[in-house]
Structure formats: C-alpha cells, structure tokens
Amino acid sequence: MSTTGEIVILGSGSTAFAAALRAKERGARAIMIERSVLGGTCINWGCIPSKTLIHCALFRHEAELGERLGLGVRRDGVDYATLDGHKFAVVQELRQKKYLDVLAQLPELSLIKGKAVFIAPGKVQVEDRVIESEHILIATGGHPRVPKIPGLEHTPYLTSKSALLLKTLPQSLTVIGGGVIALELGQMFHRLGVPVTVLEHGARVLPAVEPEPALALQKALEAEGMRLVVGAAICSVAHEGEGVRVEALIDGEPREFRSQQLLLAVGTAPATEGIGLEQAGVELDARGYIKVDGEMRTSAAGIWAAGDVTGGMQIATVGAREGIAAVDNMLETGCHCEMNYQTLPMAIFTDPEVAMVGYGEEAAREAGFDVESQCIPASAIPKAHVTGALDGAVKIVADRVTDRILGVHVCLHRGADIINEAALAIRCRMTVAELADTLHVYPSMGEGLRLCAQAFHRDLTQLSCCAE
C-alpha cells in the first residue's frame, strides 16, 4: 500500500508532535511512525520522570535542612516504591493528556506503530506497508550513549533510562560522567540516601558550561556531601561479587572505586541504527548524527531532520522548534526559516539549578564581538540569605561596543525559572543598562539579574538592599 501527499514523520516525541501540529495548522496531514512508546524520551524516560523524582528528593533534603533549624523530626528511610508509583502516575497522566488525547482529537494526524526503514529516497517501509512522500522528517531522537570500556561487556550497568526504571534504590552508586544527566541523577540518588561517587574525565564538572556557574555547582554538590572526582581516566570496569569495581587513573595515579551499581552518563547517541539512511542518501557527521543545514534539511532532497538525532541542543523545546522550522520550510516555498539558537534557554535541574541562554564568553569572542562580562556570587542577592540558598553565581556576557546582552549564565535556586527573563532580554536585544534600570521584585532570586547588570558600572558592596 502506498500513501502520498502527506508529511511523514519518523518518531512521535516532542519534536515529531510539534512538527505534526504545525503541519495541521498549515492545512496539511501528517503521519507519525513510532516503533516504541508514544511520546518519545521526554515524557516516558527523560524530562518528566527524572524531574518528578528530583523534585521528590528535594523534599527529603529540605526536611533535613529544617531539622537543623529545629523544625520537627524527619523520618529516616525512603519508601521508594511509593515514589516510583507517583512518578509512573505523572508520566501516565501527561502521556494521556498531551499525546494520546491530542492525537485522538485531530483527524489530520495519524499514528502508525512499527519501525520505519527507508528503502529509497522519499520512500519508507513499515512492515508490509510502503509509504511515499515528498516531505519526510526524521525525528527519531536518541538513546543513552554506551562508551567502550574494557570489562563493560561482563559488567551490569545502568543508563539514564534504566536508572529511572529501578524499583529499589541502589545501596551505593558510581557514576561515569560529569555532565547534565550525571549530576541531575547523581544528586537525586544522593538526596534519597544513596552514597554517590561521580567520575568526570575533565578538570571540572559540566565542561560545556561557563566555568563560573559550573564551579559554583561543583562546590555546592561537594558541600552537600556528594563525592566528585575530576581528572578521572577510566581504565576498566568489573563485576565483583554483588557490586562493581571501576579502575581509573586520577592525576596519573591508579585508583579503584567500588559500589553496588554503576551508572553510565556520558551523553546521548542518535537513534539512527537500522532505519536505512544509506538507501535514502542521508549523510551523517563524524559523531554519527544526521547532518542538517540551518533550515533542518538533510543531504537528501525532500528529507529533513530535527531534534536529538541531529546532535545540536538536545532539549525537548529546541527539538520542537526545529520540527516547526522543518515543516515551515517543507510547506512554504522560499520560507528559508532558520533556527536562532542564541535566544533558546536551557536548564540543568540540579539544586541549585544551572541555566543559560545566548553566547558564552569565549564563543562570543569567536563570533567577533568585543566582549565584556560580569559575574556575581549568589550571596550578593538578598533573597539568597533569606532562603539559605547562598551557593551559585550569575554571569552576564555583553558587547562592549553596543552594551547589548549576548548571554546570561546562572547557577541559582530556581535558576530554570529565572533564565526565561534573560531569554526575553536577549530576544528583545536589551542592553545591560536597560536591564540594570528595570526594577525587580525585592527580595527575589530573579533580582540577581539586575544586580549583575548593575555590577558592570557600580560597586555592589556600596549599595544598600533596595538602592537605585
């Protein structure tokens, strides 16, 4: 059976759904083909389940803080079965309301369950059905990357996906990797009472993040009791008794790390295996991601790609925006709609939260700007003293010539909420002076943005709390 004249989308996650809804808005029909669970990574084993458990772990941490202040008695122990049930209920509800119900209400969208494989340019096969279209979007997402480590083939390990499917807490945990997933899940397990050791190859955690907020988070996590080991070159892993052993070189010296469970958190690999990209003429880059241009076009005519499978900003909201851009370029001749990644915010849901938007300092220089920057500690914000959230930093990167804000990077309590204002400021091409002149609620953590802007031209130590 052959179907023509519709947009065909491989995948059914946030990128795929955003593209399908955009197609419907433009009067086109869309077919999504999904070989796994409707909704993709974010809703099923990514953003929603992880942030649900992270938020639950925060309760236990804050109970401990309250105990130190004399506020009641904290119960020891964690009923992880109840927490897991709560996580599952949240995922089920959102999958139903945001995916299944949406799909059922829109006859312009249809879903085919099965694995889609390209058999020629513009033509995919799902079991015994052949679907042909001039407009195909690859939005198959990614999966946890598994590095090549001697001994791993004989050693049990967790990934970001399987770690969220555990029915009991690990007795202890070693995490290989010091990026987003490693720190989010590492802190979550730590706060639920699991001894956690994080092994990061680089000189600091979050090597892709601006150094000031990354180092502020590293300090905060260590102060909380997490064991962070940087400069760790992994040599081998082994299954030992009821646990695992990791052998590594730390500053050239051999070390061993033992724990009951091992978590691999070294990034995301593209889900492109076995879908016939070679038959379609779709080229991959050196890392295995699909090559796309600024309009999300692949090397094959009539085929676009968006989301994690392209290896860019691997964030659900960004993937959704890429899917929309791809559909706009499919359906509007001469649209030439391109992504502007400098206005797209992202966050890391540790506590404090790390969030950023726009250029980092070095990237701004490489882009040709005459850069100036300011960074203030969270302790410069009065609200931080009220809440006790004194760990963190706020950094603003600006163009010295025009005073325009180029990037904002924070490590703050509720930083994921605060960064939205910064994204709007960059999108509206605000200057540092304009942000410094914008009154903020006092006391609030968001006031840190204004204080950092004021620091470009004023000495904060000579200002009272509400001084103009």
Side-chain angles (χ1 to χ4, degrees):
M1 178 180 179
S2 178
T3 304
T4 60
E6 295 169 301
I7 292 177
V8 174
I9 304 171
L10 278 62
S12 72
S14 52
T15 299
F17 253 87
L21 291 172
R22 186 63 151 204
K24 183 259 181 185
E25 291 173 1
R26 285 181 164 271
R29 296 182 61 86
I31 298 173
M32 290 184 291
I33 306 172
E34 175 57 63
R35 63 180 173 180
S36 182
V37 183
L38 183 72
T41 296
C42 184
I43 191 72
N44 291 297
W45 43 77
C47 309
I48 297 304
S50 66
K51 277 54 176 180
T52 300
L53 290 178
I54 287 169
H55 184 67
C56 292
L58 176 64
F59 293 152
R60 188 173 193 268
H61 177 68
E62 291 187 337
E64 291 176 345
L65 296 180
E67 179 77 8
R68 297 174 198 171
L69 297 175
L71 299 176
V73 178
R74 178 182 64 83
R75 289 184 180 180
D76 290 327
V78 173
D79 183 354
Y80 195 70
T82 299
L83 285 182
D84 184 64
H86 170 64
K87 175 206 70 178
F88 181 74
V90 172
V91 170
Q92 287 284 86
E93 181 179 9
L94 287 177
R95 186 195 297 129
Q96 183 68 45
K97 290 183 177 179
K98 295 299 183 181
Y99 290 88
L100 289 167
D101 291 351
V102 171
L103 187 63
Q105 295 171 26
L106 299 174
E108 298 90 349
L109 311 184
S110 59
L111 177 69
I112 298 174
K113 293 304 294 290
K115 181 179 179 179
V117 179
F118 283 96
I119 56 176
K123 190 179 293 187
V124 297
Q125 183 171 351
V126 186
E127 296 180 355
D128 60 350
R129 180 177 180 180
V130 175
I131 303 173
E132 187 175 356
S133 176
E134 296 179 355
H135 302 122
I136 298 178
L137 174 66
I138 304 171
T140 49
H143 55 78
R145 185 179 295 280
V146 178
K148 294 181 179 180
I149 302 174
L152 189 61
E153 66 274 18
H154 304 299
T155 304
Y157 61 86
L158 300 169
T159 67
S160 59
K161 181 177 179 179
S162 59
L164 294 172
L165 299 176
L166 289 173
K167 298 304 178 184
T168 59
L169 287 170
Q171 296 174 17
S172 56
L173 183 67
T174 299
V175 183
I176 294 180
V180 176
I181 294 172
L183 298 187
E184 284 188 350
L185 296 187
Q187 186 184 39
M188 179 198 81
F189 282 117
H190 168 74
R191 287 184 165 184
L192 292 175
V194 178
V196 174
T197 298
V198 173
L199 304 178
E200 162 58 33
H201 184 268
R204 61 176 171 83
V205 299
L206 298 179
V209 174
E210 288 292 278
E212 294 89 344
L215 289 171
L217 176 64
Q218 183 169 315
K219 179 181 178 181
L221 295 178
E222 290 176 331
E224 195 174 301
M226 283 182 65
R227 186 184 185 191
L228 305 181
V229 181
V230 297
I234 308 300
C235 299
S236 65
V237 298
H239 189 192
E240 188 175 75
E242 295 183 358
V244 295
R245 182 183 77 249
V246 178
E247 295 184 352
L249 292 177
I250 311 298
D251 296 327
E253 295 294 324
R255 294 272 299 279
E256 290 186 350
F257 301 88
R258 288 178 168 82
S259 60
Q260 192 247 333
Q261 294 263 28
L262 172 66
L263 170 61
L264 303 180
V266 292
T268 300
T272 56
E273 307 91 342
I275 63 173
L277 294 183
E278 58 279 2
Q279 279 80 18
V282 174
E283 295 181 4
L284 305 179
D285 66 16
R287 302 174 300 160
Y289 294 99
I290 295 177
K291 288 183 179 180
V292 292
D293 63 13
E295 299 179 11
M296 313 314 299
R297 300 175 189 270
T298 71
S299 57
I303 302 177
W304 287 255
D308 289 359
V309 77
T310 66
M313 293 177 66
Q314 295 180 328
I315 310 165
T317 52
V318 175
R321 183 59 59 87
E322 289 174 342
I324 289 170
V327 170
D328 286 344
N329 287 309
M330 289 179 191
L331 299 180
E332 184 179 335
T333 302
C335 174
H336 300 302
C337 300
E338 294 197 0
M339 294 291 298
N340 178 9
Y341 294 98
Q342 298 308 319
T343 62
L344 305 180
M346 69 164 290
I348 302 168
F349 289 87
T350 49
D351 181 24
E353 294 170 344
V354 176
M356 67 286 297
V357 62
Y359 285 103
E361 192 169 347
E362 191 58 37
R365 289 194 179 94
E366 292 175 357
F369 293 100
D370 183 5
V371 174
E372 61 177 340
S373 67
Q374 281 291 333
C375 184
I376 65 170
S379 58
I381 307 170
K383 181 62 177 287
H385 293 265
V386 173
T387 63
L390 295 169
D391 295 311
V394 181
K395 180 177 183 178
I396 295 177
V397 179
D399 182 357
R400 192 186 310 273
V401 177
T402 65
D403 197 42
R404 182 162 65 90
I405 300 169
L406 300 175
V408 178
H409 308 261
V410 306
C411 174
L412 290 175
H413 181 63
R414 303 301 187 196
D417 299 315
I418 294 166
I419 204 64
N420 295 313
E421 177 190 352
L424 185 61
I426 292 176
R427 183 170 183 176
C428 294
R429 303 178 68 84
M430 284 183 66
T431 64
V432 170
E434 289 171 333
L435 180 57
D437 193 46
T438 301
L439 289 180
H440 285 61
V441 170
Y442 172 85
S444 69
M445 293 302 291
E447 189 185 15
L449 295 181
R450 186 191 186 207
L451 289 167
C452 189
Q454 287 179 311
F456 276 80
H457 304 293
R458 305 181 73 174
D459 183 351
L460 299 187
T461 65
Q462 298 181 10
L463 296 179
S464 64
C465 287
C466 298
E468 282 296 300

